Amino acid sequence: MSVLIYVDNTDGKFKKAGFEAASYGAAIAQQAGMKAVAVSLGKVDAAELQKLANYGINNVMSSADERFASMDNQAAAKALAVAAIQCNAEIIVLAHNNLGKAIAPRLSVKLQAGLVTNVTGLPTSLSPFTVNKNVFTGKAVGHTTIHTPVKVLTLSYNSFGLVEKTTDLVVESFDTGLGQADFGLNVEQTQQVTGKILLSEAEIVVAGGRGMKGPENWSGIEELASVLGAGTACSRPVSDEGWRPHGEHVGQTGKIIAPNLYFALGISGAIQHLGGVSGSKVIVAVNKDPDAPIFEAADYGIVGDVMKVLPQFIEAAKELKG
Amino acid sequence: MKILVLIGNVPDTTTKIKFNADKTAFDAAGVQWIINPWDELALTRAMELKEAPGSSIESITVANVGRQETEATLRKALAIGADKAIRVDADAQDAFYVANQLAQIAGGFDLIFAGVEASDYNGAAVGGMLAELLGIQSVSAVSGLLVEGNSIKITREIEGGSQTVGVVTPVVAIVQKGIAKEPRIPAMRGIMMARSKPLEVVNPVATETRVSFVSFDLPPAKANCKKFTEEQGKELINALREEAKVL
């Protein structure tokens, strides 16, 4: 029996969400007395695969088939099902990122497995198999039981963290047996955003709301983010007004984030916004309105003009990082 | 080309979440029900495609799994402009149960829209499961979609960027924010017309429950917010380092 962890790559590189899924899967394997097996699809070099030895993984099944670069969900699910059967997987773990949440439902159907997405921690019981998941966009937690012999889980970002544990890693290549007819997606164009910290990976996020008064004032937010190595985000009205791109909108219908530190600058904290950021470990709020709901979610706050406070933040951050 | 849009019936996004006394179920008392926000955007995009000059879209059908009280939400979808609605008459159990019901009625559609998740249980699973049950392609994190003959051109979000992909129908497009600018609001004429549009009720097929909720909890209340004055920005940043240890 084993726990199988899918570690996805972008252009041959693993990301933090993948290592977190590996850490989490390795911890379940230890809890259940099973082997932790990672699976990688697409061209990833030996040095990159070896990084999984830092996160408690025993074996890696690697298919170097370059066709997986198209991120074809149907083909990936089929390949993962092959891997799961080959290593006799009882539990399969994926990151709850764009690719993980696209593939996991398909994989669960193939394996007749119960699926729980957005999982926030280790199983609270192995029999019956019970895990906690986010529901109502972080406004509540659901205790969930899976009744099937095989289980598929997707792990909510930054809910478990990276756990370093060195192992003697065995890397094996494996043949998915997929033919050309299994790939049906034609990639025409890819735009990678470069030089920006990804919201999904950021440990610190600096976000602005309507209280920033206009897009011309965003240079302060960008400067603070750059000093702290943080990602930038915004509230829904800001992206609806076109002050910032939609990709920066955090909240219930935008991106759900859970950084270690979240700055809400000039954001009042509507319930839909809080849903998207309530997983943050520490929240800092600056708002003119002392009754703004953001202060109920915040750990640290200033009632005042964000235009006066932001330069102080930047200066203090520069001193700290200087 | 025939389009199917899956419609989730969910509590209004401003709902204060509460559970029954033994915390085993969501307390729906006094809750306003709406079309799941991403499904509403998907329906809006489907309407835009149908109305485009030279469009090949013959019809837009909406479907859900739910009891009679969810029909108001389907009627709203008809009022926005869908041509026909199908309701599978059952209580939604888990995502697989819902997907398996929808698989009974989803054959014969060329393009199926699903929202990236439902705003209640955040499953993010029905669209992908349905595609697998139908044995067809699915593309997720979709923020743009065009129809070109029997091929669909999709813009999707990938880690750290975006990508344009082409795929041949039939396909399930699992959509997120950006697929349409603003959800459409039903006009009076649409509301009147919706009353006479067909709403078919279908019996469910037997399906095992694979996953169930045992109980729910609200997150622990946060400790009080530590306040600083407008002049103490520096002190706050120092507290993040010395006290919270996040810098």
Side-chain angles (χ1 to χ4, degrees), chain A residues 70-73 98 105-106 110 117 133 135-137 139 141 143-145 147 186 188-193 198 239 246 249 252 255 272 295 297 299-301 305 312 319-320, chain B residues 13-14 38 120-123 132 136-138 153 156-157 159-166 177 210-212 214-217 219 222 226-228 230-231 233-234 241 243:
Chain A
S70 71
M71 290 180 277
D72 180 316
N73 300 337
N98 283 330
R106 301 197 69 124
K110 278 195 184 297
T117 58
K133 84 176 291 282
V135 292
F136 296 99
T137 321
K139 284 178 264 181
V141 173
H143 308 284
T144 315
T145 293
H147 309 292
N186 179 24
E188 294 175 6
Q189 211 185 1
T190 303
Q191 295 95 25
Q192 288 284 351
V193 181
L198 302 182
S239 68
H246 282 298
H249 164 205
Q252 188 153 12
K255 285 202 168 64
Q272 296 96 327
F295 289 116
D299 300 276
Y300 295 92
D305 184 352
Q312 299 173 47
E319 281 172 26
L320 278 186
Chain B
T13 50
T14 58
W38 297 276
D120 48 6
Y121 299 106
N122 308 135
E132 189 64 40
I136 63 176
Q137 275 285 350
S138 57
K153 190 166 276 191
R156 66 173 171 176
E157 189 181 78
E159 302 309 311
S162 65
Q163 196 168 60
T164 313
V165 297
K177 209 190 168 197
R210 293 178 173 178
V211 174
S212 43
V214 185
S215 61
F216 297 92
D217 272 315
K222 276 234 171 184
K226 192 165 177 178
K227 296 268 176 63
F228 291 80
E230 203 178 46
E231 287 75 39
K234 225 168 171 170
R241 185 186 187 94
E243 194 178 272

Coordinates of all heavy atoms in Angstrom, one line a residue, chain A residues 70-73 98 105-106 110 117 133 135-137 139 141 143-145 147 186 188-193 198 239 246 249 252 255 272 295 297 299-301 305 312 319-320, chain B residues 13-14 38 120-123 132 136-138 153 156-157 159-166 177 210-212 214-217 219 222 226-228 230-231 233-234 241 243:
Chain A
S70 N 1.5 19.9 -22.3 CA 0.2 20.6 -22.7 C -0.8 20.7 -21.6 O -1.8 21.3 -21.7 CB -0.4 19.9 -23.9 OG -0.9 18.6 -23.5
M71 N -0.5 20.0 -20.5 CA -1.4 20.0 -19.3 C -2.8 19.6 -19.8 O -3.8 20.3 -19.5 CB -1.4 21.4 -18.6 CG -0.1 21.6 -17.9 SD 0.0 23.2 -17.1 CE 0.5 24.3 -18.4
D72 N -2.9 18.5 -20.5 CA -4.1 18.0 -20.9 C -4.7 17.2 -19.7 O -4.2 16.2 -19.3 CB -3.8 17.0 -22.1 CG -5.1 16.4 -22.7 OD1 -5.9 15.9 -21.9 OD2 -5.2 16.3 -23.9
N73 N -5.9 17.7 -19.2 CA -6.4 17.1 -18.0 C -6.8 15.6 -18.1 O -6.6 14.8 -17.2 CB -7.6 17.9 -17.5 CG -7.3 19.3 -17.2 OD1 -6.1 19.7 -17.0 ND2 -8.3 20.2 -17.3
N98 N -4.4 25.2 -9.9 CA -5.1 25.1 -11.1 C -5.1 23.7 -11.7 O -6.2 23.2 -12.1 CB -4.5 26.0 -12.2 CG -4.9 27.5 -11.9 OD1 -6.0 27.7 -11.4 ND2 -4.1 28.4 -12.3
P105 N -10.7 15.5 -9.9 CA -12.1 14.9 -10.1 C -12.1 13.8 -11.1 O -12.8 12.8 -10.9 CB -12.9 16.1 -10.6 CG -12.1 17.3 -10.2 CD -10.7 16.9 -10.2
R106 N -11.4 14.0 -12.2 CA -11.3 13.0 -13.3 C -10.7 11.7 -12.7 O -11.2 10.6 -13.0 CB -10.5 13.5 -14.5 CG -11.0 14.7 -15.1 CD -10.5 15.0 -16.5 NE -11.0 14.0 -17.4 CZ -11.7 14.2 -18.5 NH1 -11.9 15.5 -18.9 NH2 -12.2 13.3 -19.3
K110 N -12.1 7.7 -12.3 CA -11.4 6.5 -12.9 C -11.1 5.4 -11.8 O -11.2 4.3 -12.1 CB -10.0 6.9 -13.4 CG -10.1 7.5 -14.8 CD -8.7 7.6 -15.4 CE -8.8 8.3 -16.8 NZ -9.6 7.5 -17.7
T117 N -11.7 17.8 -1.7 CA -10.9 18.9 -2.2 C -10.7 19.9 -1.1 O -11.5 20.0 -0.1 CB -11.5 19.6 -3.4 OG1 -12.8 20.1 -3.1 CG2 -11.6 18.6 -4.6
K133 N -12.0 20.0 5.6 CA -11.9 20.8 4.4 C -12.5 22.2 4.6 O -13.4 22.3 5.5 CB -12.5 20.1 3.2 CG -14.0 20.3 3.1 CD -14.6 19.6 1.9 CE -14.2 20.2 0.5 NZ -14.9 21.4 0.2
V135 N -15.0 25.0 3.8 CA -16.3 25.2 3.1 C -16.8 26.6 3.3 O -16.2 27.3 4.1 CB -17.4 24.2 3.7 CG1 -17.1 22.8 3.3 CG2 -17.6 24.4 5.2
F136 N -17.7 27.0 2.5 CA -18.2 28.4 2.5 C -17.0 29.4 2.4 O -17.0 30.4 3.1 CB -19.1 28.7 3.7 CG -20.4 27.8 3.6 CD1 -20.5 26.7 4.4 CD2 -21.4 28.2 2.8 CE1 -21.6 25.9 4.4 CE2 -22.6 27.4 2.8 CZ -22.7 26.2 3.5
T137 N -16.1 29.0 1.5 CA -14.9 29.9 1.2 C -14.3 30.4 2.5 O -14.1 31.6 2.7 CB -15.3 31.1 0.3 OG1 -16.3 30.6 -0.6 CG2 -14.1 31.6 -0.4
K139 N -15.3 30.3 5.5 CA -16.1 30.8 6.6 C -16.5 29.7 7.5 O -17.1 29.9 8.6 CB -17.4 31.5 6.0 CG -17.1 32.9 5.5 CD -18.3 33.6 4.9 CE -18.3 33.4 3.4 NZ -19.5 34.0 2.7
V141 N -15.4 25.1 8.5 CA -14.7 23.9 8.2 C -15.6 22.7 8.2 O -16.5 22.7 9.1 CB -13.6 23.7 9.3 CG1 -12.9 22.4 9.2 CG2 -12.6 24.9 9.3
H143 N -16.0 18.6 8.5 CA -15.4 17.3 8.8 C -16.0 16.3 7.9 O -17.2 16.0 7.9 CB -15.6 17.0 10.3 CG -15.2 18.1 11.2 ND1 -13.9 18.4 11.5 CD2 -16.0 19.0 11.9 CE1 -13.9 19.4 12.3 NE2 -15.1 19.8 12.5
T144 N -15.2 15.6 7.1 CA -15.6 14.8 6.0 C -15.1 13.4 6.0 O -14.0 13.2 6.3 CB -15.1 15.4 4.6 OG1 -15.3 16.9 4.7 CG2 -15.8 14.9 3.4
T145 N -16.0 12.5 5.8 CA -15.6 11.1 5.8 C -15.7 10.5 4.4 O -16.7 10.7 3.6 CB -16.5 10.2 6.7 OG1 -16.3 10.7 8.0 CG2 -16.2 8.7 6.6
H147 N -15.9 7.1 2.1 CA -16.3 5.7 2.4 C -15.7 4.7 1.5 O -15.8 3.5 1.7 CB -17.9 5.6 2.2 CG -18.6 6.7 3.0 ND1 -18.7 6.7 4.3 CD2 -19.3 7.8 2.6 CE1 -19.4 7.7 4.7 NE2 -19.8 8.4 3.7
N186 N -4.6 21.3 -28.0 CA -3.6 22.0 -28.8 C -3.2 23.3 -28.2 O -4.0 24.3 -28.2 CB -4.3 22.1 -30.2 CG -3.3 22.8 -31.2 OD1 -2.1 22.7 -31.0 ND2 -3.9 23.4 -32.2
E188 N -1.7 26.8 -28.2 CA -1.4 27.7 -29.2 C -0.5 28.8 -28.8 O 0.4 29.3 -29.5 CB -2.7 28.4 -29.8 CG -3.6 27.3 -30.5 CD -4.9 27.8 -31.0 OE1 -5.2 29.0 -30.9 OE2 -5.7 26.9 -31.4
Q189 N -0.7 29.2 -27.5 CA 0.1 30.4 -27.0 C 0.2 30.3 -25.5 O -0.8 30.0 -24.9 CB -0.5 31.7 -27.5 CG 0.5 32.8 -27.7 CD -0.2 34.1 -28.1 OE1 -1.5 34.2 -28.1 NE2 0.5 35.1 -28.3
T190 N 1.4 30.6 -25.0 CA 1.5 30.7 -23.5 C 2.2 32.0 -23.1 O 3.1 32.5 -23.7 CB 2.5 29.6 -23.0 OG1 1.9 28.3 -23.5 CG2 2.6 29.6 -21.5
Q191 N 1.5 32.7 -22.2 CA 2.1 34.0 -21.7 C 2.5 33.7 -20.2 O 1.6 33.5 -19.4 CB 1.1 35.1 -21.7 CG 0.7 35.6 -23.1 CD -0.6 34.9 -23.6 OE1 -1.4 34.5 -22.8 NE2 -0.8 34.8 -24.9
Q192 N 3.7 33.8 -19.9 CA 4.2 33.7 -18.5 C 4.4 35.1 -18.0 O 5.0 35.9 -18.7 CB 5.5 32.9 -18.4 CG 5.3 31.4 -18.6 CD 4.7 30.7 -17.4 OE1 4.5 31.2 -16.4 NE2 4.3 29.4 -17.6
V193 N 3.9 35.4 -16.8 CA 4.2 36.7 -16.2 C 5.6 36.5 -15.5 O 5.8 35.6 -14.7 CB 3.1 37.0 -15.1 CG1 3.4 38.3 -14.5 CG2 1.8 37.0 -15.7
L198 N 4.1 35.3 -7.6 CA 2.8 34.7 -7.9 C 2.0 34.8 -6.6 O 2.4 34.4 -5.5 CB 2.9 33.3 -8.3 CG 3.7 33.0 -9.6 CD1 3.7 31.5 -9.9 CD2 3.2 33.8 -10.7
S239 N -10.7 45.8 -9.2 CA -10.5 45.2 -10.5 C -11.7 45.4 -11.3 O -11.6 45.6 -12.6 CB -10.3 43.7 -10.3 OG -11.4 43.0 -9.8
H246 N -7.8 41.7 -13.4 CA -8.6 40.7 -12.7 C -7.8 39.6 -11.9 O -8.3 39.1 -10.9 CB -9.6 40.0 -13.7 CG -10.7 40.8 -14.0 ND1 -11.7 41.3 -13.1 CD2 -11.1 41.4 -15.2 CE1 -12.6 42.0 -13.7 NE2 -12.3 42.1 -15.0
H249 N -7.5 40.2 -8.2 CA -8.6 40.2 -7.3 C -8.6 39.0 -6.4 O -8.7 37.9 -6.8 CB -9.9 40.2 -8.2 CG -11.2 39.9 -7.4 ND1 -12.3 39.4 -8.0 CD2 -11.5 40.0 -6.1 CE1 -13.2 39.2 -7.1 NE2 -12.8 39.5 -6.0
Q252 N -13.9 36.0 -2.5 CA -14.7 34.8 -2.8 C -14.8 34.4 -4.3 O -14.6 33.3 -4.6 CB -16.1 35.0 -2.3 CG -17.0 33.8 -2.3 CD -18.1 33.8 -1.3 OE1 -18.3 34.8 -0.7 NE2 -18.7 32.7 -1.1
K255 N -9.4 35.2 -6.4 CA -8.4 34.2 -5.9 C -8.6 34.0 -4.4 O -8.8 35.0 -3.7 CB -7.0 34.6 -6.2 CG -6.6 34.5 -7.7 CD -5.1 34.4 -7.8 CE -4.8 33.9 -9.2 NZ -5.2 34.9 -10.2
Q272 N -17.5 38.9 1.4 CA -16.9 38.2 0.3 C -15.4 38.3 0.2 O -14.7 37.4 -0.3 CB -17.5 38.7 -1.1 CG -19.0 38.4 -1.2 CD -19.8 39.6 -0.8 OE1 -19.4 40.4 0.0 NE2 -20.9 39.8 -1.5
F295 N -11.4 45.1 10.4 CA -10.7 45.2 11.7 C -11.1 44.0 12.6 O -10.4 43.6 13.5 CB -11.0 46.5 12.5 CG -10.3 47.6 11.9 CD1 -11.0 48.7 11.3 CD2 -8.9 47.7 11.8 CE1 -10.3 49.8 10.7 CE2 -8.2 48.7 11.2 CZ -8.9 49.8 10.7
A297 N -11.3 41.0 11.4 CA -10.5 39.8 10.9 C -9.0 40.1 11.1 O -8.2 39.2 11.0 CB -10.8 39.6 9.4
D299 N -5.3 41.2 12.7 CA -4.5 41.1 13.9 C -3.9 42.4 14.4 O -3.8 42.6 15.6 CB -3.4 40.0 13.7 CG -4.0 38.7 13.3 OD1 -4.4 37.9 14.1 OD2 -4.1 38.5 12.0
Y300 N -3.5 43.2 13.4 CA -2.9 44.5 13.6 C -3.6 45.5 12.8 O -4.0 45.2 11.6 CB -1.4 44.5 13.3 CG -0.6 43.6 14.2 CD1 -0.4 42.2 13.8 CD2 -0.1 44.0 15.4 CE1 0.3 41.4 14.6 CE2 0.6 43.2 16.2 CZ 0.9 41.9 15.8 OH 1.6 41.0 16.6
G301 N -3.9 46.7 13.3 CA -4.6 47.7 12.5 C -4.3 49.1 12.9 O -3.8 49.4 13.9
D305 N -5.5 57.4 7.6 CA -5.4 57.6 6.1 C -4.3 56.7 5.6 O -3.1 56.9 6.0 CB -5.1 59.0 5.9 CG -5.1 59.4 4.4 OD1 -5.1 58.4 3.6 OD2 -5.0 60.6 4.1
Q312 N 5.2 55.3 5.8 CA 5.9 54.8 7.0 C 6.2 53.3 6.9 O 7.2 52.9 7.4 CB 5.0 55.1 8.2 CG 4.6 56.5 8.5 CD 3.6 56.7 9.6 OE1 3.7 56.1 10.7 NE2 2.5 57.5 9.4
E319 N 14.2 49.7 6.4 CA 15.1 49.6 7.5 C 15.3 48.1 7.9 O 16.4 47.7 8.1 CB 14.7 50.4 8.6 CG 15.0 51.9 8.4 CD 14.4 52.8 9.5 OE1 14.1 52.2 10.7 OE2 14.1 53.9 9.3
L320 N 14.2 47.4 8.0 CA 14.3 46.0 8.4 C 15.0 45.2 7.4 O 15.8 44.3 7.8 CB 12.9 45.4 8.5 CG 12.1 45.7 9.8 CD1 10.8 44.9 9.8 CD2 12.9 45.3 11.0
Chain B
T13 N -23.9 35.2 -1.5 CA -22.5 35.3 -1.0 C -22.4 36.1 0.3 O -21.4 36.1 0.9 CB -21.6 35.8 -2.0 OG1 -22.1 37.0 -2.6 CG2 -21.4 34.8 -3.2
T14 N -23.4 36.9 0.6 CA -23.3 37.7 1.8 C -23.9 37.0 3.1 O -23.9 37.6 4.2 CB -24.1 39.1 1.7 OG1 -25.5 38.8 1.4 CG2 -23.5 39.9 0.6
W38 N -20.1 31.7 -10.4 CA -19.4 31.4 -11.7 C -20.3 30.8 -12.7 O -20.1 30.9 -13.9 CB -18.3 30.4 -11.3 CG -17.2 30.9 -10.4 CD1 -16.2 31.7 -10.8 CD2 -17.2 30.9 -9.0 NE1 -15.5 32.1 -9.7 CE2 -16.1 31.6 -8.6 CE3 -18.0 30.2 -8.0 CZ2 -15.7 31.7 -7.2 CZ3 -17.7 30.4 -6.7 CH2 -16.5 31.1 -6.3
D120 N -20.7 27.2 -1.9 CA -21.1 26.7 -0.6 C -20.1 25.6 -0.1 O -19.4 25.9 0.9 CB -22.5 26.1 -0.6 CG -22.9 25.2 -1.8 OD1 -21.9 24.9 -2.5 OD2 -24.0 24.8 -1.9
Y121 N -20.0 24.5 -0.8 CA -19.1 23.5 -0.3 C -17.7 23.4 -1.0 O -16.9 22.6 -0.7 CB -19.8 22.1 -0.3 CG -21.0 22.1 0.6 CD1 -22.3 22.1 0.1 CD2 -20.8 22.2 2.0 CE1 -23.4 22.2 0.9 CE2 -21.9 22.3 2.9 CZ -23.2 22.3 2.3 OH -24.3 22.4 3.1
N122 N -17.5 24.4 -1.9 CA -16.2 24.6 -2.5 C -15.6 23.3 -3.1 O -14.4 23.0 -2.9 CB -15.2 25.2 -1.6 CG -15.7 26.5 -0.9 OD1 -15.5 26.7 0.3 ND2 -16.3 27.4 -1.7
G123 N -16.4 22.4 -3.7 CA -16.0 21.1 -4.1 C -15.1 21.2 -5.3 O -14.1 20.4 -5.4
E132 N -15.2 13.2 -17.2 CA -14.7 11.9 -17.1 C -15.8 10.8 -17.4 O -15.6 9.8 -18.1 CB -14.0 11.6 -15.8 CG -13.2 10.3 -15.7 CD -12.0 10.3 -16.6 OE1 -11.3 11.3 -16.8 OE2 -11.8 9.2 -17.2
I136 N -15.1 12.7 -22.2 CA -14.7 13.8 -23.1 C -13.7 14.8 -22.4 O -13.4 14.7 -21.2 CB -15.9 14.7 -23.6 CG1 -16.6 15.3 -22.4 CG2 -16.9 13.8 -24.3 CD1 -17.8 16.2 -22.7
Q137 N -13.1 15.7 -23.2 CA -12.1 16.6 -22.7 C -12.7 17.6 -21.7 O -13.9 18.0 -21.8 CB -11.5 17.4 -23.9 CG -10.4 16.7 -24.6 CD -9.1 16.8 -23.8 OE1 -9.0 17.5 -22.8 NE2 -8.1 16.0 -24.3
S138 N -11.9 18.1 -20.8 CA -12.3 19.2 -20.0 C -11.1 20.2 -19.9 O -9.9 19.7 -20.0 CB -12.6 18.7 -18.6 OG -11.6 18.0 -18.0
K153 N -11.9 27.7 -28.9 CA -10.6 28.3 -28.5 C -10.8 28.9 -27.1 O -11.7 29.7 -26.8 CB -10.2 29.5 -29.4 CG -8.8 29.9 -29.2 CD -8.3 30.8 -30.4 CE -7.8 29.9 -31.5 NZ -7.1 30.7 -32.5
R156 N -7.0 29.9 -20.7 CA -7.0 29.4 -19.3 C -5.9 29.9 -18.5 O -4.8 30.3 -19.1 CB -7.0 27.9 -19.3 CG -5.7 27.3 -19.8 CD -5.7 25.8 -19.6 NE -4.5 25.2 -20.3 CZ -4.2 23.9 -20.2 NH1 -4.9 23.1 -19.6 NH2 -3.1 23.5 -20.9
E157 N -6.1 30.0 -17.2 CA -5.0 30.4 -16.3 C -4.1 29.2 -16.0 O -4.7 28.1 -15.7 CB -5.6 31.0 -15.0 CG -4.6 31.7 -14.2 CD -5.2 32.2 -12.9 OE1 -5.5 31.4 -12.0 OE2 -5.4 33.4 -12.8
E159 N -0.3 28.2 -13.8 CA 0.5 28.7 -12.7 C 1.5 29.8 -13.3 O 2.3 29.4 -14.1 CB 1.3 27.6 -12.0 CG 0.5 26.5 -11.4 CD -0.7 26.9 -10.5 OE1 -0.5 27.8 -9.6 OE2 -1.8 26.4 -10.7
G160 N 1.3 31.0 -12.9 CA 2.2 32.0 -13.3 C 1.9 32.6 -14.7 O 2.8 33.2 -15.3
G161 N 0.7 32.4 -15.2 CA 0.5 33.0 -16.5 C -0.8 32.6 -17.1 O -1.7 32.1 -16.4
S162 N -0.9 32.7 -18.4 CA -2.2 32.2 -19.1 C -1.8 31.6 -20.4 O -0.7 31.7 -20.9 CB -3.1 33.4 -19.3 OG -2.5 34.3 -20.2
Q163 N -2.7 30.8 -21.0 CA -2.5 30.0 -22.1 C -3.7 30.0 -23.0 O -4.8 30.0 -22.5 CB -2.1 28.6 -21.6 CG -1.5 27.7 -22.6 CD -0.9 26.5 -22.0 OE1 -1.7 25.7 -21.4 NE2 0.4 26.3 -22.1
T164 N -3.5 30.0 -24.3 CA -4.6 29.8 -25.3 C -4.5 28.4 -25.8 O -3.4 27.9 -26.3 CB -4.5 30.8 -26.5 OG1 -4.2 32.1 -25.9 CG2 -5.8 30.8 -27.2
V165 N -5.6 27.6 -25.7 CA -5.6 26.2 -26.2 C -6.8 26.0 -27.1 O -7.8 26.7 -27.0 CB -5.6 25.2 -25.1 CG1 -4.4 25.3 -24.2 CG2 -6.9 25.3 -24.2
G166 N -6.6 25.1 -28.1 CA -7.7 24.8 -29.0 C -8.2 23.4 -28.7 O -7.3 22.5 -28.3
K177 N -13.5 33.6 -12.9 CA -13.7 35.0 -13.2 C -13.0 35.4 -14.5 O -12.0 34.9 -14.8 CB -13.1 35.8 -12.0 CG -13.8 37.0 -11.8 CD -13.1 38.0 -10.8 CE -13.8 39.3 -11.0 NZ -13.0 40.4 -10.4
R210 N -20.1 8.5 -1.9 CA -18.7 8.2 -1.6 C -18.1 9.0 -0.5 O -17.2 8.6 0.2 CB -17.9 8.4 -2.9 CG -18.3 7.4 -4.0 CD -17.5 7.6 -5.3 NE -17.8 6.5 -6.2 CZ -17.3 6.4 -7.4 NH1 -16.5 7.4 -7.9 NH2 -17.7 5.4 -8.2
V211 N -18.7 10.2 -0.3 CA -18.1 11.1 0.7 C -19.3 11.8 1.4 O -20.3 12.1 0.8 CB -17.3 12.2 0.0 CG1 -16.8 13.3 0.9 CG2 -16.1 11.6 -0.8
S212 N -19.2 12.0 2.7 CA -20.2 12.7 3.4 C -19.6 13.6 4.5 O -18.6 13.3 5.1 CB -21.3 11.8 4.0 OG -20.7 10.7 4.6
V214 N -19.6 14.9 8.2 CA -20.0 14.4 9.5 C -20.5 15.6 10.3 O -21.5 15.5 11.0 CB -18.7 13.8 10.2 CG1 -19.1 13.2 11.5 CG2 -18.1 12.7 9.3
S215 N -19.7 16.7 10.3 CA -20.1 17.8 11.0 C -19.4 19.1 10.5 O -18.5 18.9 9.7 CB -19.8 17.7 12.5 OG -18.4 17.5 12.7
F216 N -19.7 20.2 11.0 CA -19.1 21.5 10.6 C -18.7 22.3 11.8 O -19.3 22.1 12.9 CB -20.2 22.3 9.8 CG -20.6 21.7 8.5 CD1 -21.7 20.9 8.5 CD2 -19.9 21.9 7.4 CE1 -22.1 20.3 7.3 CE2 -20.3 21.3 6.2 CZ -21.4 20.5 6.2
D217 N -17.7 23.2 11.6 CA -17.3 24.1 12.7 C -17.1 25.4 12.1 O -16.6 25.5 10.9 CB -16.0 23.6 13.3 CG -16.3 22.7 14.5 OD1 -17.2 23.0 15.3 OD2 -15.6 21.6 14.6
P219 N -14.8 28.8 12.1 CA -13.4 29.0 12.5 C -13.3 29.7 13.9 O -14.2 30.5 14.2 CB -12.8 29.8 11.4 CG -14.0 30.4 10.6 CD -15.1 29.5 10.9
K222 N -11.1 35.4 16.1 CA -9.8 36.0 16.2 C -9.6 36.8 17.4 O -10.6 37.3 17.9 CB -9.6 36.9 15.0 CG -9.1 36.2 13.7 CD -7.9 36.9 13.2 CE -7.2 36.1 12.1 NZ -6.0 36.6 11.6
K226 N -4.9 44.4 17.4 CA -4.1 45.4 18.1 C -3.9 46.6 17.3 O -3.5 46.6 16.2 CB -2.7 44.7 18.3 CG -1.8 45.4 19.2 CD -0.6 44.5 19.7 CE 0.3 45.3 20.6 NZ 1.4 44.4 21.0
K227 N -4.4 47.8 17.9 CA -4.4 49.0 17.1 C -3.2 49.9 17.4 O -2.7 50.0 18.5 CB -5.7 49.8 17.5 CG -7.0 49.1 17.1 CD -7.5 49.5 15.7 CE -8.7 48.7 15.3 NZ -9.9 48.9 16.1
F228 N -2.8 50.6 16.3 CA -1.8 51.6 16.4 C -2.3 52.9 15.9 O -3.3 52.9 15.2 CB -0.5 51.2 15.6 CG 0.2 50.0 16.1 CD1 -0.2 48.7 15.9 CD2 1.4 50.2 16.8 CE1 0.5 47.6 16.4 CE2 2.1 49.1 17.3 CZ 1.6 47.8 17.1
E230 N -2.2 56.6 13.6 CA -1.8 56.9 12.3 C -0.3 57.2 12.1 O 0.2 57.2 11.0 CB -2.7 58.1 11.8 CG -2.9 58.2 10.3 CD -3.8 59.4 10.0 OE1 -3.6 60.5 10.6 OE2 -4.6 59.2 9.1
E231 N 0.3 57.6 13.2 CA 1.7 58.0 13.2 C 2.6 56.8 13.5 O 3.8 56.9 13.5 CB 2.0 59.2 14.2 CG 1.5 60.5 13.7 CD 0.0 60.6 13.9 OE1 -0.6 60.1 14.9 OE2 -0.7 61.2 13.0
G233 N 3.1 53.8 12.1 CA 3.3 52.8 11.1 C 4.5 52.0 11.3 O 4.5 50.7 11.1
K234 N 5.6 52.6 11.7 CA 6.9 52.0 11.9 C 6.8 50.9 13.1 O 7.3 49.8 13.0 CB 7.9 53.0 12.3 CG 9.2 52.9 11.6 CD 10.0 54.2 11.8 CE 11.4 53.9 11.3 NZ 12.2 55.2 11.3
R241 N 7.6 42.0 13.1 CA 8.9 41.2 13.2 C 9.1 40.7 14.6 O 9.3 39.5 14.7 CB 10.0 42.2 12.9 CG 11.4 41.5 12.8 CD 12.5 42.5 12.6 NE 13.8 41.9 12.4 CZ 14.3 41.6 11.2 NH1 13.5 41.8 10.1 NH2 15.5 41.1 11.0
E243 N 6.9 40.5 17.3 CA 5.9 39.8 18.1 C 5.3 38.7 17.2 O 5.2 37.6 17.6 CB 4.8 40.9 18.4 CG 3.8 40.5 19.4 CD 2.9 41.7 19.7 OE1 3.2 42.5 20.6 OE2 1.9 41.8 19.0

